[in-house]
Structure formats: C-alpha cells, structure tokens
Amino acid sequence: MVPRTQRRSLVAIGAGGLALSLALAGCTAGGSGSSEGGATSLTFLVDNGEATVATAQALVDAFVEENHDISIEVETRPQGADGDNVVKTRLATGEMDDLFQYNSGSLMQALSPDDTLVNLADEDYVGKFDDRFVQSVSTENGLYGVPMGQSMAGAVIYNKDIYEQLGLEVPTTWDEFIANSEAIKQAGVAAPIVQTYGDTWTSQLFVLGDFNNVLAENPDWAEEYTNNKAKYVDEPALAGFEHLQEAFDKGLFNEDFASATYADGVTMVATGEGAQYPILTFAAGQLMTTNPEAADVVGTFPLPGPDASTNGLTVWMPTNTVYIPKSTEGDKLEASKKFLEFLATPEACDIQSEANAPQGPFVIEGCDLPDDVPAMVSDLQQYFDDGKTNLALEFLSPIKGPALEQITVAVGSGITSAADGAAQYDEDVKKQAQQLGIEGW
Amino acid sequence: MTTATAQGRTSTSPGAISPAGPAKRRPMKSPYPTWFFIPAGVFYLVLFLIPTIASFYFSLTRWTLFNVEFIGFDNFVRFFQEPQLVQGFINTFIYAFLTSGAKVVLGLLLGVFLSSQIIARGFIRSVVFFPVLVSVIGVGILFKVLMDPFDGPINEGLAAIGIDGPGWYTDPSLALVSVAIVDIWAGVGLATLIYIAGMVAIPQEYFEASKVDGASAWSTFRHITLPLLRPATVTVVLLSLIGGLRRFDLIWTMTGGGPGFSSDVLASVVYKQYQAGFFGLSTAGNVVLFVVVAAIIFPLSWWLNRKEDER
C-alpha cells in the first residue's frame, strides 16, 4: 500500500490536473461570490435544462425579494455525464458553488456525500419530507438535500384518442400491452411504441420502469442486488430486457427509432403519430412547451408486468435536489441554509408549479399540485392514493451501471440479445460497485 | 515543413552521418548558461513529465478523485475482458487504417491533379483544403444532419433518383464506415497539400529527361513521381494514422460510439469510462492508447524512413 501522505498529494495532483483541463475547456470555476457591504452574495449551480434554469431563477427571485441582504446568482452546467464530471471535479477541488442542484439517489451517493456535503439532518423542515425522499438523499451519517421539484414516474405515456378510437383498455399485464400494440399496428394509424435512440438515455425505461414488477416478485431484490446476490441475467429483473427485445422483434417501434430524439417522441404521442412511449413523466414539461393543446390527450399508465394484481408505478424521487458543499462556510453557509429552508415551504412549491409544468406529486408535506395539471400527471394520482407505487432501483441501491443506456440501445436495436445485454449490464454494475467500494464485490 | 521532420529523424538513426560535422568532434558546448533552460524545464516537468508519470500510477488504481486504492493490473485485465471494450479496440484499427489508406490514395491523386496545369487551379486547391479549416465538431454536426436517415439531404437526394438510402449512422454495420468517410472528406485536404508540396520539390529536369527518353505518362508517374514523393507519403501515413488511432471528436459528435457500442473506438471508450467516474480505468485506457500508438508508429516510422535510406 502507498503511504497516506503520498497518496493525498497524488490525489491532489491528479484532481488538480483534471480541474485544470476543465478550466482550459472553458468551464469557469465557480464559487467566487464575495460579501461586500454587509450583503452576502451566493452562486447557485444548476443544470442548463430550460425548465431547471427557469425554476431556479423564479425561486431565487422570490427569495431575494424577501431577503434583501442576500443575492444569488444562478450559474449553469451541462446535463448528463458531462455535468457529473463538473460536479465531481468541483467538489473534489473545493471549487464548488455555494449551492448546487444535482440528482438524488445513487448519483448523489457517488459524490461521497459524507465527505463533501453539509449535513442538514438537524434542520426543522426535514420532518416535512416524505420518508422515501429522506431515504434517497441520506447516508448512514446524514441527510444532505432539499427537493426542488416533484416526484415522478417511469411509465408509459399514451395517446388517449387512439386508445378510444380503437376501443382499447389501459393494459395491466405485459401480454395485454403487447396485444394493444399489435392492434394499433394492425390499424396502421400510428407507431405502436415510440423509441428515441437519438437521445440514448430514453432507451433505459423498459428496464428501469419495470422495477415495480421486479419488487412485486421479490421484495428484497434491491438489497440482494446491492449485496452482489441478485443479478439482471435472472428473472424477474431480466424481464425488462426481454420486453425490449420482444417489442423490437415484433416490429412495434416507430420507423425512425434509431435517430428520433426525446422531443420528437413526446411530440409524436401528442400528435397521434405514435401511440405509446415509455418515458419519465417529466415529459409533462416538454409536452406543455411544445404541444400544450394535447394536455388532456396524453395520459399515463405503469409499465405492466406479468401479474395484473401487482400492477403499479415505478416512482422517482425529485431528481432536482439542492445541496450545500462543505466548501461553503460562514455567512454564506447561513445564507445558503436560509435558501434551503425557503425551498421547503409551500410558497416555494407553488412557485415551482408555476414556473414549470408539474411532473408528479410533491414530496413535502403541505405542498399540493394545482388543479389544472396535464392528464399525464393527474393519471398518476390514483396509483399514489392506492399505494400502488414502488421506488425506482436507483433510490434503493447506490449502484447504477453507467453503460445501461448503450446496452439498452443495443438490445432495442436488435444488435444484442436480451440475455447478452443483461449479462453486460451485470458486468457494468460490478465495475460501479467496485468503484464505490461496496463490500462483497 | 512536416516533411523535414520526417527526414530529420533519419539523420539521427544509427550509421547516418551527423549533419553537424565529423563524427569525432565532441558535442558542441551549449552557448547558453544552464539557468537559461530552467523555465522551459519547469514547464516541461510540471505540465508533461509529472502528469505522464502520475497517469501510469493512476492506471493501476481505483480512483474516485476523493481517494485512491491500489489494485495492480486489474484495470487492464478488465479493459480487455469487456466485449464492448474489445470491440472498441478493433474498431480503432479499422478506423485508423481505413482513413489513413484512403487519405494516401485520394491525397496522392488529388495532389497530382492539382499540381498539373489546369484552369482555376488555385481556386480548386482552396476548395479541397477548405474542410481542414472547419472545426471538426462543426463538420460532425453538419454531417449528422446531412446523413439523417429520414430527413437528411443525402438520403432525400438518393430517394429522388430512386435509391433507398441506408441508415448512415444508425445502421450498426455502417456507422463506423460513415464516420470514416466524413473523416476522409475533412482530412484529405491536408494530405493533398503535403503531396502538392512534395510534387513542387521534384526538380523539373527529371521530367524533361524522361520526356526526351520518350517515357509514357504512366511510367513517368510510376518511376519518377511516386518514388520521389516517398517523404510526402511517409508524412501523410504517419500523420493520418496517428490522427485515426486517437480520433474522438468526430465520432463523438456523430454517433457517440453508438448505436449501442458499434462505432466505439479506444478514445470514445476512454471518455465514457471517464464520464462514468471510473478515473482509474479510463487512465488505464489512455495508457493502452499511448502504448498502441507508440507500438505502431515507431516501427512504422523507422521502417518507412529506412527504406528511404536504402534506396
């Protein structure tokens, strides 16, 4: 083993090199806000998604209105894996903004939160959080995030007009889903299932959205998976990959599935060019931007499994969560905490619903959705009320393999078989588990 | 300029006479004091030497930026076990040799064509060279639009004459080749330029002599132009092969290594590992890339230049 001091300095050199290359690539290092004349100025790093920036800016404006001695500047970073790099590198080098938005669940776990983030477990407002959200932003040693946004589901959005026209019922089993899709194909009115591999992340929903059905078969699956016991090559988890392959083999996808984008997919369902699209319900935001006239046409149902009695939603906790890095200190820390406290109020929730179409129920007590939400979101409420929901795997286990989207594209394009894809993903998961230093791998 | 570098290497090979003078003479004492080299030395040390050595160390570790665990050669073992990584490895060679070969052939033909007496020669030369000036990312985005399997102008044009165009970058068996074609289009200008420079350097007397001897156009090309263009060919081969082996930007903009893993090359695999936070593994990938490039280029360069001496 390498002696500790040497190790430290090598880490510093390596991290410094990375930071340098990022800086050279044009990403300005943040966290340069200064306090002058008694006013505290903060910077707030969010991803550059239109909806995220709009929501963050609306919240900041409302907060600054009430707190004249604090000013907050919203800065942006790329989304996806490039953004992960920025966040990880800035945290590692202590250059992070005073506040930043990032995912909850397994992605947050990859930030080593115990070492890098400010523990919020003692704040009063955390008592108002939904237990499942608490779980998704906590480690054994603390609670680190406040939600900016709502929970959502990984489910199938569908065109209600097409269903009505062909006399179809919302499917509760996979076989019914395939039967519906075949009927739509027969009728020739629309592409039965929309896939959009121009944005590779959208390909993961058949696997990730099926998790409610995995848990229905084996309630301990997530734990066994974290402990290197349950694998994707075995049922019930293999079903997600098999469904993807089956849908491809039966020719149920839209013709341009290989090059279409996420935005294309949402529009296709809205205009009736496509009938069903497995996606995250944050697509409501996209729908209300590009096709607001279809707000009542596009509905949602869960990805069905083998058993109608356990049919339910796979739920994501708010992926937009706000954290304070340990590098924020003194006045800035106080001001940042004040902002988080504001985020947890019903007033802040209302601002969020106004700034961007809600994607599912809030996870803070006292926050309610407005009455005029799109059908895509109101369809979810019944499942929440009936308790027919389960958390997605990424909130129950810290391990998510990073190559899933490429693997599901390969399976969904007929390049790889379901069994091979699942085996590749198990290897990918192993790599991530080792990287995270989880015991038993 | 670049040709000179290739020739410069020859002179340092064993047995070659040093251009500095008689071999007996001691190495000339530098006219500069030692401290004169310190600034450059420090830069070299900090920006090149230390990172290089550090990367060899980090390739043997599991590194999260926050802490480091030494794991020996596990990263390399993993790198060669995963099917998609092996696929990327193979694709790298296909891509490099395909683009390099095509650039040599097309560059030579264009070079010969553009150094002959034709109308608007200067204009045509600039047209051929123009893609080299455009940002590779821009080229990638442009061709992504042009090659779109459904709305792209290329396939619409083909449809107009009754041909059903392929899914250029969405068909797994075609994606890598499509990117290679774009690479050749974007890079052939540089190869052509090098060949034109080589052509200009050939003394006219040779051509006059061969004309007097009644040589045909083909044998003039075969026995005069081609052999005397060898230094240019060496440069084009080396530059395009190195470029092809480490090509990343174009592939990433056009296909992202997809669909699935079908157009992944070493550089894109390394980048994806880095994105995923596998810093140790991606560093190992870069070490592999370094070794592969070195293992191909050094012997190749030696062989190409040696032939030149023996001629």
Side-chain angles (χ1 to χ4, degrees), chain B:
Chain B
M1 176 193 71
T2 24
T3 350
T5 333
Q7 283 172 332
R9 195 185 292 283
T10 342
S11 61
T12 58
S13 65
I17 297 163
S18 164
K24 263 187 173 179
R25 195 168 141 186
R26 282 211 201 123
M28 200 171 64
K29 201 171 181 311
S30 168
Y32 305 112
T34 312
W35 61 263
F36 207 84
F37 299 109
I38 289 176
V42 166
F43 270 112
Y44 183 74
L45 192 73
V46 171
L47 292 178
F48 296 98
L49 217 51
I50 293 177
T52 305
I53 293 165
S55 75
F56 280 104
Y57 167 70
F58 281 118
S59 70
L60 302 175
T61 65
R62 192 171 288 136
W63 180 29
T64 64
L65 290 187
F66 303 107
N67 55 54
V68 168
E69 183 194 345
F70 190 83
I71 55 166
F73 285 95
D74 281 11
N75 282 330
F76 293 94
V77 173
R78 174 157 286 281
F79 212 91
F80 288 103
Q81 266 178 354
E82 277 185 49
Q84 57 260 42
L85 299 186
V86 175
Q87 177 70 42
F89 203 69
I90 297 167
N91 282 348
T92 309
F93 289 103
I94 297 177
Y95 187 85
F97 285 101
L98 198 64
T99 53
S100 181
K103 281 177 191 171
V104 168
V105 174
L106 291 176
L108 177 61
L109 294 179
L110 283 169
V112 171
F113 172 62
L114 291 177
S115 48
S116 59
Q117 298 300 323
I118 49 167
I119 300 166
R121 191 174 67 176
F123 173 72
I124 300 177
R125 278 185 185 180
S126 7
V127 167
V128 170
F129 190 70
F130 181 69
V132 179
L133 301 177
V134 182
S135 148
V136 178
I137 303 287
V139 170
I141 293 172
L142 173 71
F143 271 86
K144 195 165 181 183
V145 175
L146 291 178
M147 287 180 161
D148 188 289
F150 292 92
D151 315 318
I154 293 182
N155 275 6
E156 279 182 353
L158 287 175
I161 54 169
I163 300 172
D164 204 4
W168 293 104
Y169 56 83
T170 55
D171 181 339
S173 56
L174 204 60
L176 191 70
V177 179
S178 298
V179 183
I181 292 172
V182 176
D183 191 329
I184 294 162
W185 175 81
V188 77
L190 192 63
T192 307
L193 189 78
I194 295 170
Y195 273 118
I196 291 176
M199 294 284 294
V200 171
I202 301 175
Q204 283 301 313
E205 287 80 4
Y206 291 132
F207 294 108
E208 283 159 15
S210 73
K211 206 183 248 173
V212 170
D213 289 348
S216 68
W218 167 250
S219 62
T220 307
F221 175 75
R222 172 70 188 80
H223 296 289
I224 295 179
T225 312
L226 209 53
L228 289 176
L229 275 180
R230 178 174 270 280
T233 309
V234 170
T235 309
V236 171
V237 168
L238 290 182
L239 283 181
S240 60
L241 203 56
I242 294 174
L245 286 172
R246 48 181 284 272
R247 177 58 94 193
F248 166 72
D249 36 15
L250 190 65
I251 292 172
W252 195 252
T253 10
M254 284 189 65
T255 66
F261 302 96
S262 46
S263 62
D264 257 336
V265 294
L266 262 179
S268 69
V269 165
V270 166
Y271 184 71
K272 278 195 276 193
Q273 305 300 328
Y274 167 68
Q275 273 190 326
F278 300 139
F279 301 107
L281 187 62
S282 67
T283 310
N286 266 331
V287 170
V288 171
L289 184 60
F290 170 80
V291 171
V292 166
V293 171
I296 292 179
I297 297 303
F298 280 123
L300 187 69
S301 151
W302 173 80
W303 182 74
L304 287 172
N305 286 313
R306 199 172 103 100
K307 284 278 192 163
E308 191 185 334
D309 289 344
E310 285 173 351
R311 195 181 60 235

Side-chain angles (χ1 to χ4, degrees), chain A residues 119-436:
Chain A
N119 188 353
L120 306 169
D122 297 333
E123 305 292 328
D124 293 336
Y125 53 77
V126 301
K128 295 193 292 178
F129 292 171
D130 184 299
D131 287 344
R132 291 182 303 185
F133 177 76
V134 170
Q135 194 184 339
S136 75
V137 292
S138 297
T139 65
E140 281 172 14
N141 306 317
L143 183 154
Y144 298 99
V146 174
M148 185 178 83
Q150 306 88 22
S151 59
M152 62 178 164
V156 182
I157 64 171
Y158 71 109
N159 187 300
K160 293 188 174 195
D161 289 349
I162 295 178
Y163 260 59
E164 201 171 319
Q165 205 183 325
L166 300 177
L168 301 174
E169 295 280 328
V170 166
T172 52
T173 65
W174 177 256
D175 293 339
E176 286 174 24
F177 179 68
I178 287 293
N180 281 356
S181 304
E182 293 281 12
I184 296 165
K185 194 181 176 188
Q186 287 292 318
V189 288
I193 301 174
V194 177
Q195 289 289 280
T196 51
Y197 297 161
D199 285 318
T200 46
W201 64 266
T202 61
S203 65
Q204 307 171 82
L205 264 291
F206 271 103
V207 173
L208 297 181
D210 192 52
F211 197 62
N212 175 70
N213 304 319
V214 175
L215 284 185
E217 296 264 317
N218 177 3
D220 300 324
W221 199 88
E223 200 179 322
E224 289 175 14
Y225 163 84
T226 310
N227 295 328
N228 197 9
K229 298 216 172 66
K231 295 285 168 195
Y232 271 95
V233 283
D234 304 317
E235 296 291 357
L238 180 60
F241 287 95
E242 286 174 338
H243 290 167
L244 185 56
Q245 187 187 353
E246 185 182 351
F248 172 80
D249 288 346
K250 292 190 166 153
L252 297 174
F253 293 160
N254 46 315
E255 190 188 27
D256 59 350
F257 72 93
S259 59
T261 62
Y262 161 65
D264 294 341
V266 174
T267 302
M268 284 173 81
V269 178
T271 57
E273 214 182 308
Q276 310 166 103
Y277 183 25
I279 199 71
L280 294 165
T281 55
F282 68 47
Q286 178 71 28
L287 180 76
M288 296 313 282
T289 312
T290 53
N291 303 79
E293 74 285 351
D296 295 325
V297 176
V298 181
T300 312
F301 61 78
L303 261 171
D307 187 353
S309 66
T310 56
N311 183 42
L313 282 173
T314 305
V315 173
W316 269 252
M317 284 296 108
T319 45
N320 283 349
T321 304
V322 183
Y323 304 93
I324 307 177
K326 281 216 164 119
S327 52
T328 306
E329 287 165 344
D331 287 351
K332 292 186 176 186
L333 179 59
E334 287 310 308
S336 300
K337 282 190 167 175
K338 214 167 167 184
F339 181 68
L340 291 192
E341 195 179 342
F342 167 73
L343 269 189
T345 60
E347 188 198 348
C349 293
D350 290 344
I351 294 169
Q352 293 168 37
S353 310
E354 221 169 277
N356 190 34
Q359 57 196 26
F362 281 103
V363 292
I364 301 173
E365 203 182 292
C367 287
D368 293 312
L369 286 177
D371 296 331
D372 58 342
V373 292
M376 198 198 286
V377 175
S378 55
D379 280 1
L380 301 176
Q381 195 62 49
Q382 195 59 45
Y383 296 95
F384 278 90
D385 293 348
D386 295 350
K388 287 185 164 182
T389 61
N390 266 310
L391 276 181
L393 179 57
E394 61 194 84
F395 302 102
L396 298 173
S397 169
I399 316 166
K400 180 173 185 277
L404 179 60
E405 52 194 79
Q406 280 95 28
I407 295 171
T408 45
V409 164
V411 173
S413 311
I415 304 170
T416 314
S417 72
D420 288 349
Q424 284 177 9
Y425 187 53
D426 279 335
E427 273 302 304
D428 195 42
V429 165
K430 181 177 165 194
K431 219 159 63 174
Q432 180 70 24
Q434 289 177 341
Q435 177 77 23
L436 290 173

